[in-house]
Amino acid sequence: MADKHLHAASLAAQALGWVDPMTKAIVPPIHMASTYERDADNAYRSGRVYARPDNPTFDQAESTLAALEGASAALIFSSGMSAATACFLALSPGDHVVAPKVMYWALRNWLAAFATRWGLRVDFVDADRSEAIAAAVRRGETKLVWIETPANPTWGVTDIAAAARIAHAAGALLAVDSTVATPVLTRPIELGADIVMHSATKYLNGHSDIIAGALAGARQDAYWASLKTMRAQLGTILGQTEAWLLMRGMRTLFPRVAWACRSAETLAERFVAHPMVEEVLYPGSPSFAGHAIAKRQMRGGFGGMLSVRVKGGERAAIASAARVELWKRATSLGGVESLIEHRASIEGPGTPCPTDLLRLSVGVEDADDLYRDLDQALRRADNA
Ligand SMILES: *Cc1c(COP(=O)(O)O)cnc(C)c1O
């Protein structure tokens, strides 16, 4: 767009203002082609050869995400997991990495099982404390520090700027899983991060109808090139239709996230005082351990994710989830419909998730309806 001073919300709403030069359509077509014609002189002047490395339907989502993150470039992937694992597979066996003890469970399992077998040396730390990250990095050996903030499912907050300073002093890169914060609330690259990862399945798409991932990079350096090569070689690309749906979803990212933040804040405030609730975990709660850091590095809200620990333990938590009528009992997050999940049940053995915890993904329904539904479920579970 011509105006360089537009806010990110305007860039997202208009997907950078793109209009098709041929038809003047304000929404892009879906390019289904798997291959591109070579010019008669044997060159590929379009810059595109084959749809595994290149697809024009990716361009708009990638350039919009790069603009929203203040990044040099972005890459969309077939899933959040394929985006995240690419960051580790672009390293070399023998390299040392630091990751959080509390993080997205499937990625933690992959690091502990596959990545270590492949030859990475992985240390899991309490990333809420910068000192723990500092104690784990090894100068010259640590190549990547991975953090997630706020972190699933207890929403601990990591100081991104401090983690970047620690990583860089050790000669390592900092990658941030910013799925829950979204570029609306946090821009990790401005705080010193090198790579930002999203499960685009969640808020970026926002409608629970595709699986997708994304990386945004501060620089287009050799590491970035290897991430791009990895996607092309492994074929962890998004389908054309899914890429189009992702872009469609991203246009409403700002109003969806703003609404979810307001409702989550309201629910957190109201459930703190609930007789059936032991504790509310939400970065926006003034009493929450990570609140001060969250206030510094998150703008415009504290996210749409919170957890409640239910009085009466695991049995009462599962019974409460069984009695909701508006909330949907499902895993995942960041969609327009609110989801509730007994998180320990899905993470399984070895999880650090408390067994009395219900994870809540707040959608865009009316906050009062969401409160009343969960309130009646908690009370009925208590009487059961
Ligand atoms: C869902 C999720 C992932 C994994 O993304 P997929 O799109 O499911 O592969 C990674 N990190 C976080 C924080 C997530 O919520």
Side-chain angles (χ1 to χ4, degrees):
M1 286 199 236
D3 183 351
K4 296 268 183 296
H5 304 291
L6 289 171
H7 290 87
S10 303
L11 299 177
Q14 296 201 3
L16 305 181
W18 184 91
V19 175
D20 182 61
M22 290 259 275
T23 62
K24 301 291 176 190
I26 62 167
V27 171
I30 302 177
H31 290 277
M32 297 305 287
S34 61
T35 192
Y36 304 89
E37 192 182 31
R38 189 189 274 277
D39 295 309
D41 64 359
N42 215 36
Y44 268 114
R45 226 159 265 106
S46 76
R48 301 180 196 277
V49 176
Y50 185 57
R52 183 153 38 73
D54 310 306
N55 189 303
T57 310
F58 300 169
D59 293 357
Q60 207 179 13
E62 290 180 343
S63 47
T64 304
L65 180 62
L68 300 186
E69 287 291 359
S72 168
L75 289 167
I76 56 175
F77 284 76
S78 55
S79 67
M81 280 297 285
S82 62
T85 53
C87 297
F88 294 96
L89 294 172
L91 305 175
S92 302
D95 286 348
H96 177 248
V97 301
V98 174
K101 277 186 182 151
V102 177
M103 65 185 286
Y104 182 68
W105 188 242
L107 184 58
R108 188 187 193 277
N109 278 347
W110 181 86
L111 284 171
F114 179 87
T116 51
R117 194 150 39 80
W118 182 66
L120 285 185
R121 291 174 296 149
V122 188
D123 273 324
F124 293 102
V125 302
D126 176 8
D128 296 6
R129 296 189 307 112
S130 302
E131 316 85 75
I133 301 176
V137 294
R138 306 179 200 161
R139 219 188 135 65
E141 291 177 45
T142 307
K143 294 291 153 53
L144 185 67
V145 173
W146 183 273
I147 60 174
E148 175 181 328
T149 182
N152 254 290
T154 42
W155 317 117
V157 178
T158 299
D159 184 334
I160 298 171
R165 281 193 299 274
I166 294 164
H168 296 160
L173 297 172
L174 177 72
V176 181
D177 181 341
S178 196
T179 300
V180 169
T182 81
V184 178
L185 309 175
T186 309
R187 305 225 300 180
I189 288 173
E190 287 175 356
L191 299 168
D194 302 286
I195 299 286
V196 179
M197 175 255 155
H198 289 282
S199 166
T201 309
K202 315 293 168 53
Y203 289 101
L204 293 182
N205 175 62
H207 294 76
S208 310
D209 52 10
I210 63 166
I211 297 287
L215 297 176
R219 292 169 306 281
Q220 296 181 60
D221 54 9
Y223 180 71
W224 184 256
S226 63
L227 295 171
K228 203 167 171 177
T229 302
M230 178 104 37
R231 183 184 72 169
Q233 290 177 335
L234 299 183
T236 45
I237 50 163
L238 198 56
Q240 298 92 325
T241 310
E242 289 74 11
W244 189 91
L245 282 168
L246 171 58
M247 186 61 254
R248 195 260 284 274
M250 279 169 62
R251 285 175 175 247
T252 56
L253 177 69
F254 280 74
R256 284 187 284 103
V257 169
W259 185 286
C261 284
R262 270 201 311 277
S263 295
E265 219 163 312
T266 302
L267 293 173
E269 270 168 31
R270 293 184 70 179
F271 280 116
V272 161
H274 196 281
M276 285 304 297
V277 171
E278 186 69 51
E279 188 184 7
V280 172
L281 303 173
Y282 185 57
S285 302
S287 59
F288 188 72
H291 181 66
I293 301 167
K295 224 170 143 177
R296 235 181 14 246
Q297 73 186 21
M298 300 180 85
R299 293 171 313 192
F302 297 94
M305 296 301 298
L306 70 154
S307 295
V308 292
R309 299 187 63 179
V310 179
K311 279 187 187 154
E314 178 167 16
R315 188 204 56 80
I318 293 173
S320 300
R323 285 167 173 78
V324 292
E325 287 160 11
L326 178 61
W327 296 78
K328 293 287 169 284
R329 270 181 308 282
T331 197
S332 198
L333 58 100
V336 288
E337 58 290 295
S338 294
L339 304 181
I340 186 167
E341 181 177 48
H342 181 251
R343 188 68 194 166
S345 292
I346 198 152
E347 294 195 355
T351 173
C353 178
T355 57
D356 59 1
L357 180 145
L358 292 175
R359 187 179 83 168
L360 307 177
S361 171
V362 180
V364 299
E365 304 91 338
D366 184 273
D368 205 43
D369 289 345
L370 292 171
Y371 179 79
R372 280 190 292 113
D373 185 44
L374 189 49
D375 169 51
Q376 65 78 23
L378 288 162
R379 289 176 197 276
R380 278 167 59 212
D382 186 37
N383 294 332

